[in-house]
Amino acid sequence: MSQHICELPAKHEHEFPFGPIKPLTFKNAWIAWCGISKYSPKCGHYMDSTVKVTAERRRQIALKHWWIIHPFSYARYVTVLTSAHAASRRHRGERCSYRSSISKRVVLNEDIYRYFWDTFMMAIYSVAFLTIPFMICFVVKDYQSILLDKVNVPIYAIFWLDIAFNCITGYYDSKDMHIELKLSKIFMSYLKGFLLPDVLSSLPYDHITLPWRRLPGDDSYHAIVLINILPFIKLTRYWTFKSTIFFLFKHFGIRHFYYELYTTLLLGMYLIFWFSCLCYVIPILLMMHFVNISPAECKNCWMTGLEDRTLTFRFKNAMLIVLENILATGYGLFVPETDGHLILSSLVMFIGRIMLCYFLSEEPFRLLASPAQKRLFFSKPNLLSVIFLRVKAKRTESETKFQEITNELKAYTRQKQLVPHMKKRLLAYYHYRFKNSYFREKQILSNLSETLREEIALESCRRLIENVAIFKNLPRHVLQSIVKTLKFELYLPNEVIIKAGSHGDCMFFLSSGTVTILTPTGKEICHLEDGAYFGEIALLVADERRTASVVAIDVCEVYRMDRKDFRQCIAVHSELFAQIERIAIERVDKVVRAEKQHKRFLMRPSRVQNSHPDKLSVQKH
């Protein structure tokens, strides 16, 4: 299928925002960087049409607080095109089609996006998840001398910069499905979420409390001891870190299987590291600080028996204890004899069993496990494993079903030997149709009453009713009769929805997306966007052929109305029918005029002489 090349004059949005800024002032530059951009990776994930992006840009410009950062802006993400792709864009001209992040990856696989701030923060988090626990446990809580953590001071400074960004950055409200840019709501949302944990875990408490810090056994202040471990709260940001990894893998086209494998292994590594730090610091906190026992008298403290007191040697022994307890193969160098040591070892063993259950319940490990391992996993002694697996499977049942359907599609394309382009389009269709969660709509609706089905249909088409101008003043019973006859269809970019010259037996209402209207000879007339309708001309006149072609530019969600339903619902409503008829006549006149002008242009002597004969019969679309 050939790529649509826009012939209409359009405003060009630069990939790099400083190019078109005139005059180049701080306010204009800030608005360019902090406004929504269709080139940002997350924009396509939540904005499925160009019209939505344009409307969102206008809404943001009209805000009182112009310095609010849009979550889909250059300030959060910077787009970098490969040099080869940039050269190809210059060669063929700017395309008008807007593709979401998934269609870039799945359909065309051309643009390569590089995260900026969020990827930078992901790198900072990946380092902080190691340095903060290690420095607190092995340096700040050292039982021999009072030391300062100088490694994490610059990391804390970056975290404060991130807090400032988060306070003025909008967010996507998944409940109401819109972008929230109101400053008070942004702050309240952040306050209910991670503001307090971010603030409490981003301070160098070891420097602040230095005058009051004391060594174990010297009547240390319990409050000061607890304050110094507050940076551990930063570990709650692991799920934000994992979400950034998800989008990074998604935009670079890495299979979901490898994402699950990578994040599972990464979590396992972090858990072993964190428990190694806790294995070292917990005896120091409980016995030396809270019970106020000196290191020489502490029998529960295994680290006091080490001959080598270096940080490396201490950490190696702590990790050995954790690994042997997690794998239930031993206790490390020190066999637990006291109650405290026994409780700690039992706790680590129990957590190790939970970790094993979690890993074996993940898709990569279920696929890679051998039959013997699976039999061992599902044996009676592993009742906890089975319960854990079933709970997890129920929680993600729809997502798992979608992954199974995707795997079936891949097997189908291999068996039918379909070309890669067709395989990508099939995967893209299922992605946009089901949004990563598989469901059987007909089976769900078949068990409902007629009244409830009508209400659900009316509510599910709410966005269509709000966008289509001819529906706004219709009575509710008329809307219900129209909506229940509509049939949902989805078209990918460059797919032909209507072909000029074909017999028409239906019309379409455009819920979201952008389509282009073409004359039979390929002359582009205009674009239609959210709320438009087309194909009505063939329904107004019997045996009328399509006067124009309609091609999808974006991923388009449309609702089809057949001829018999058109007669029952719209033809009987005189005012609505007259309005549609008037617009249809205007469209026919416009298409006819454009077609005549285009034919005269094609038949000009200079064009006929200079053009290759074979190219005259080739259409651009």
Side-chain angles (χ1 to χ4, degrees):
M1 183 176 293
S2 60
Q3 169 69 40
H4 167 68
I5 301 176
C6 185
E7 298 176 351
L8 300 178
K11 294 182 179 180
H12 173 67
E13 181 180 347
H14 290 252
E15 289 86 357
F16 191 72
F18 278 148
I21 299 176
K22 293 179 182 180
L24 185 58
T25 62
F26 173 77
K27 181 177 180 179
N28 291 341
W30 181 272
I31 292 175
W33 272 95
C34 300
I36 184 174
S37 170
K38 67 182 182 182
Y39 295 104
S40 62
K42 277 191 175 181
C43 183
H45 186 77
Y46 295 104
M47 297 285 184
D48 52 5
S49 71
T50 310
V51 178
K52 285 187 177 182
V53 176
T54 304
E56 184 67 18
R57 184 181 293 115
R58 291 173 180 170
R59 184 173 75 93
Q60 186 182 7
I61 292 174
L63 289 176
K64 177 182 178 182
H65 302 105
W66 54 267
W67 36 267
I68 294 293
I69 301 174
H70 199 281
F72 308 151
S73 63
Y74 288 102
R76 302 300 300 194
Y77 304 98
V78 169
T79 305
V80 179
L81 295 172
T82 59
S83 58
H85 178 61
S88 67
R89 286 179 73 100
R90 290 191 297 269
H91 175 71
R92 65 176 180 265
E94 178 67 21
R95 292 174 178 173
C96 71
S97 61
Y98 166 71
R99 305 176 190 86
S100 69
S101 58
I102 304 298
S103 69
K104 291 184 184 74
R105 175 178 65 86
V106 180
V107 180
L108 296 176
N109 199 23
E110 291 181 351
D111 294 358
I112 297 179
Y113 288 89
R114 186 178 301 162
Y115 289 91
F116 179 61
W117 182 254
D118 280 9
T119 303
F120 173 70
M121 287 307 302
M122 183 187 71
I124 294 297
Y125 277 123
S126 65
V127 174
F129 289 157
L130 298 175
T131 58
I132 289 178
F134 182 85
M135 297 303 292
I136 290 177
C137 296
F138 289 91
V139 176
V140 176
K141 292 304 174 185
D142 186 78
Y143 61 90
Q144 292 180 315
S145 56
I146 297 178
L147 303 175
L148 293 175
D149 173 16
K150 298 180 181 180
V151 174
N152 289 313
V153 172
I155 294 179
Y156 292 146
I158 296 173
F159 283 145
W160 278 104
L161 185 61
D162 185 56
I163 291 172
F165 269 125
N166 291 336
C167 287
I168 59 172
T169 300
Y171 65 94
Y172 180 79
D173 189 342
S174 57
K175 183 179 180 180
D176 297 331
M177 298 182 66
H178 80 286
I179 307 296
E180 184 58 65
L181 297 175
K182 191 175 181 181
L183 186 62
S184 58
K185 291 187 177 181
I186 292 172
F187 183 78
M188 289 305 299
S189 175
Y190 190 27
L191 181 62
K192 294 176 182 178
F194 284 101
L195 178 58
L196 190 59
D198 284 349
V199 170
L200 292 178
S201 60
S202 301
L203 291 171
Y205 294 104
D206 55 314
H207 294 261
I208 298 173
T209 61
L210 182 61
W212 301 279
R213 289 174 56 193
R214 295 182 181 180
L215 291 175
D218 190 20
D219 294 328
S220 56
Y221 298 106
H222 295 172
I224 301 299
V225 173
L226 294 176
I227 287 174
N228 277 276
I229 62 174
L230 284 178
F232 263 109
I233 302 175
K234 188 63 69 179
L235 302 184
T236 59
R237 275 291 194 172
Y238 174 79
W239 305 114
T240 305
F241 169 72
K242 185 179 179 181
S243 175
T244 307
I245 296 177
F246 171 76
F247 280 102
L248 191 65
F249 274 59
K250 195 173 185 179
H251 285 286
F252 279 100
I254 303 174
R255 289 176 55 191
H256 186 76
F257 172 85
Y258 295 111
Y259 161 75
E260 293 284 353
L261 180 63
Y262 175 78
T263 53
T264 304
L265 292 175
L266 186 65
L267 177 61
M269 182 198 74
Y270 276 137
L271 287 176
I272 292 173
F273 185 90
W274 296 338
F275 283 124
S276 300
C277 296
L278 292 177
C279 181
Y280 179 85
V281 78
I282 286 177
I284 296 177
L285 292 177
L286 295 180
M287 303 306 298
M288 296 186 186
H289 284 285
F290 293 145
V291 183
N292 199 26
I293 299 176
S294 63
E297 299 174 352
C298 184
K299 297 180 180 180
N300 285 333
C301 304
W302 57 267
M303 67 288 300
T304 58
L306 298 176
E307 297 180 359
D308 189 349
R309 302 296 175 89
T310 61
L311 290 178
T312 306
F313 189 74
R314 294 179 188 179
F315 179 74
K316 286 180 180 179
N317 278 272
M319 182 171 288
L320 176 63
I321 294 173
V322 170
L323 285 174
E324 291 199 341
N325 280 276
I326 285 178
L327 299 175
T329 59
Y331 300 101
L333 297 178
F334 302 93
V335 178
E337 297 179 354
T338 60
D339 294 339
H341 200 173
L342 285 170
I343 293 173
L344 180 62
S345 298
S346 302
L347 179 62
V348 174
M349 286 183 182
F350 179 74
I351 294 173
R353 178 57 62 181
I354 294 178
M355 288 173 57
L356 178 63
C357 298
Y358 176 81
F359 294 151
L360 291 179
S361 66
E362 290 294 310
E363 179 187 4
F365 291 91
R366 293 202 307 270
L367 296 177
L368 295 175
S370 64
Q373 291 173 326
K374 291 180 179 179
R375 285 195 298 271
L376 178 62
F377 178 62
F378 288 105
S379 60
K380 288 185 178 180
N382 283 311
L383 180 60
L384 177 64
S385 304
V386 177
I387 295 174
F388 191 92
L389 179 58
R390 288 182 177 176
V391 170
K392 188 175 184 298
K394 285 291 183 182
R395 185 173 56 88
T396 60
E397 187 173 359
S398 60
E399 290 83 357
T400 303
K401 184 63 177 178
F402 179 80
Q403 290 298 326
E404 292 176 358
I405 295 295
T406 303
N407 293 334
E408 290 180 12
L409 275 176
K410 293 177 181 177
Y412 174 80
T413 56
R414 286 194 299 269
Q415 198 274 335
K416 296 295 182 180
Q417 298 182 353
L418 299 181
V419 294
H421 174 71
M422 182 61 67
K423 175 183 176 181
K424 292 174 183 177
R425 295 188 72 83
L426 281 174
L427 293 174
Y429 179 87
Y430 269 79
H431 166 77
Y432 287 111
R433 179 64 182 87
F434 296 105
K435 306 294 185 182
N436 292 333
S437 297
Y438 183 76
F439 53 89
R440 295 184 177 91
E441 186 174 11
K442 290 184 179 180
Q443 183 177 349
I444 295 172
L445 295 177
S446 63
N447 297 322
L448 304 179
S449 64
E450 182 66 23
T451 304
L452 187 55
R453 280 200 298 268
E454 291 180 358
E455 292 179 2
I456 291 175
L458 192 64
E459 182 63 26
S460 61
C461 294
R462 178 170 50 87
R463 184 171 66 174
L464 176 69
I465 295 171
E466 292 173 352
N467 291 334
V468 178
I470 60 175
F471 287 166
K472 289 185 177 179
N473 297 321
L474 292 179
R476 182 180 178 86
H477 71 278
V478 176
L479 284 176
Q480 286 182 335
S481 64
I482 293 174
V483 165
K484 71 179 182 181
T485 63
L486 299 179
K487 300 173 181 64
F488 177 82
E489 291 183 359
L490 186 140
Y491 291 89
L492 299 177
N494 306 309
E495 285 190 343
V496 178
I497 303 175
I498 291 177
K499 186 176 181 180
S502 62
H503 285 284
D505 59 352
C506 63
M507 68 176 295
F508 297 90
F509 296 93
L510 183 58
S511 177
S512 67
T514 305
V515 299
T516 182
I517 309 300
L518 309 168
T519 66
T521 56
K523 173 63 177 177
E524 189 165 14
I525 301 174
C526 65
H527 291 167
L528 299 180
E529 298 172 334
D530 297 15
Y533 60 89
F534 50 88
E536 77 285 357
I537 297 174
L539 301 184
L540 295 175
V541 182
D543 298 327
E544 180 72 11
R545 292 181 179 270
R546 301 291 192 184
T547 59
S549 296
V550 181
V551 180
I553 295 177
D554 298 336
V555 175
C556 294
E557 296 180 358
V558 301
Y559 288 88
R560 188 185 82 246
M561 175 179 282
D562 296 329
R563 182 186 297 273
K564 61 180 181 64
D565 298 322
F566 178 81
R567 291 174 179 173
Q568 294 175 0
C569 300
I570 294 181
V572 298
H573 197 281
S574 57
E575 295 181 3
L576 179 60
F577 183 82
Q579 187 176 2
I580 293 177
E581 187 177 30
R582 177 179 54 81
I583 296 175
I585 294 173
E586 294 175 358
R587 288 179 173 178
V588 170
D589 292 339
K590 188 175 182 180
V591 171
V592 171
R593 289 196 304 268
E595 180 71 355
K596 289 180 179 179
Q597 292 176 1
H598 191 53
K599 284 182 177 179
R600 288 196 297 266
F601 172 76
L602 293 176
M603 297 306 295
R604 286 192 313 181
S606 59
R607 180 173 178 83
V608 173
Q609 293 174 2
N610 297 330
S611 301
H612 192 280
D614 295 337
K615 292 184 178 179
L616 292 177
S617 61
V618 178
Q619 300 298 324
K620 291 182 178 180
H621 305 278

